[in-house]
Amino acid sequence: MRHLIPSWIRVPLVFFIIFGLVEYFVESGEKPAFIEYPMVLLFLVLILFVIIAIEAIVSSLENILYQSLDEESKTRYDAIETKTPKFIAWIQNTYKKSLGQKPIKEEHEIILDHNYDGIRELDNDLPPWWLYAFYASIIFGVIYLVRYHVFNGENQYDELETEYVEAKIAIEEYKKTAKDLVDFNTVELLTSASDLSNGKAIFEANCVACHMSDGGGGIGPNLTDEYWILGGGIKNVFKTISEGGRDGKGMIAWKQSLKPSEIAQVSSYLLQFQGTTPAKPKEAEGDVWQE
């Protein structure tokens, strides 16, 4: 039988489908890009079935035409068939065996006695590929049942929990290097020279007018004593700078102008004023703060 689809197309297609099925159903690391999406695999399988259907129809038509030839024409046809290259012939024979069809010359052995208006039937067995697939599905089903329902193998819920744990670890690692993800709940007092130096620059550029360069206070409160209007400590100071002070008369919210990492730096810097002696300290405001 002459195939409509060349072997160099059909063979790789079958290989990719088999390889894809194995990769999809058996965990073996990362899957190839074309298998990550189930629809791609389904599309390849559909193409294979369409090819098989088309070639089955063509094969039937060829059989009918072959039967209508005289002996001389059949001989010439058979001679052409034998000129097929060995590799291609091996592929074709393997393909024919997978269909389980009888050669045209042997079809008389499987003709049924039934006759419907001159139409007779062939008693073909189920194709070997179908039987093997059926047996494989039974074996797969038994293994799946034993592994996941008898021995309680790892299921999708377990995989999801594992991925959650891995994601949380990855997020924590990312936060260590992503300083602008810091907020009121996660901010910590910074002590490195570079952070305090940046905090000082921000303080001198934005805060000196209200708090004085030595933190003694002016329009704003004194930063050197232990009294705080909205609470002391790195978390409260960060929140006050970020969200602003008291409504109507407090400090503006700096979150529109400063990055979270910059707010953390200036908050850590101004806490260095605690316990120092400014030149002109403002009177205490607020309540004594204790950690």
Side-chain angles (χ1 to χ4, degrees):
M1 181 184 74
R2 296 184 182 88
H3 295 288
L4 295 180
I5 309 300
S7 298
W8 63 271
I9 293 179
R10 287 186 292 109
V11 173
L13 180 63
V14 173
F15 170 78
F16 279 125
I17 291 174
I18 295 174
F19 179 72
L21 288 170
V22 171
E23 284 289 330
Y24 190 77
F25 290 107
V26 179
E27 279 297 331
S28 58
E30 290 190 18
K31 298 177 176 58
F34 75 99
I35 296 304
E36 288 182 357
Y37 305 99
M39 292 303 297
V40 175
L41 184 59
L42 178 61
F43 180 70
L44 293 175
V45 173
L46 288 176
I47 290 178
L48 180 61
F49 274 107
V50 169
I51 291 174
I52 292 174
I54 292 175
E55 294 198 345
I57 294 172
V58 172
S59 176
S60 299
L61 293 176
E62 279 192 351
N63 289 342
I64 295 173
L65 292 174
Y66 184 86
Q67 296 294 348
S68 65
L69 297 175
D70 56 28
E71 292 302 323
E72 184 179 350
S73 299
K74 288 181 179 179
T75 302
R76 288 200 301 271
Y77 180 87
D78 294 338
I80 294 174
E81 288 287 294
T82 57
K83 293 180 181 179
T84 305
K86 291 183 178 180
F87 178 70
I88 301 300
W90 177 80
I91 295 176
Q92 290 176 346
N93 290 333
T94 303
Y95 178 73
K96 288 179 181 179
K97 289 179 181 179
S98 70
L99 297 178
Q101 294 178 338
K102 283 277 188 179
I104 297 175
K105 297 177 181 179
E106 300 176 12
E107 284 187 346
H108 64 278
E109 299 176 2
I110 57 173
I111 293 179
L112 296 173
D113 295 333
H114 302 161
N115 190 321
Y116 303 96
D117 294 331
I119 300 175
R120 304 181 71 179
E121 294 181 76
L122 296 178
D123 187 19
N124 280 312
D125 295 328
L126 287 171
W129 68 265
W130 192 97
L131 286 174
Y132 297 149
F134 179 67
Y135 297 147
S137 66
I138 294 175
I139 296 172
F140 174 82
V142 172
I143 295 174
Y144 186 93
L145 176 67
V146 172
R147 179 177 179 183
Y148 293 104
H149 294 276
V150 177
F151 294 105
N152 296 319
E154 187 180 57
N155 54 37
Q156 291 176 325
Y157 294 104
D158 298 325
E159 293 177 3
L160 182 62
E161 289 297 328
T162 301
E163 290 178 2
Y164 272 140
V165 173
E166 292 175 352
K168 287 180 180 178
I169 295 173
I171 290 172
E172 292 304 320
E173 290 297 322
Y174 176 70
K175 284 182 177 180
K176 292 178 181 178
T177 57
K179 294 184 178 181
D180 283 327
L181 288 180
V182 67
D183 59 14
F184 164 70
N185 296 308
T186 60
V187 66
E188 295 180 356
L189 183 66
L190 304 176
T191 56
S192 69
S194 60
D195 285 326
L196 294 178
S197 175
N198 290 337
K200 180 180 179 180
I202 297 169
F203 182 86
E204 292 176 347
N206 300 285
C207 311
V208 168
C210 296
H211 295 283
M212 300 303 170
S213 60
D214 58 4
I219 299 175
N222 185 349
L223 301 177
T224 65
D225 58 30
E226 57 184 356
Y227 291 85
W228 293 88
I229 297 173
L230 297 175
I234 186 63
K235 294 185 182 295
N236 288 319
V237 172
F238 180 95
K239 185 177 181 180
T240 302
I241 296 174
S242 176
E243 304 298 329
R246 293 165 293 176
D247 293 338
K249 59 179 179 179
M251 180 178 62
I252 65 170
W254 286 95
K255 63 183 179 181
Q256 307 299 334
S257 305
L258 300 176
K259 297 178 181 179
S261 59
E262 293 173 330
I263 296 176
Q265 289 170 342
V266 71
S267 299
S268 299
Y269 172 74
L270 67 84
L271 286 174
Q272 303 295 309
F273 291 126
Q274 289 281 284
T276 62
T277 304
K280 296 180 179 180
K282 187 178 180 180
E283 292 183 4
E285 297 176 86
D287 301 315
V288 175
W289 169 260
Q290 292 181 347
E291 288 288 350

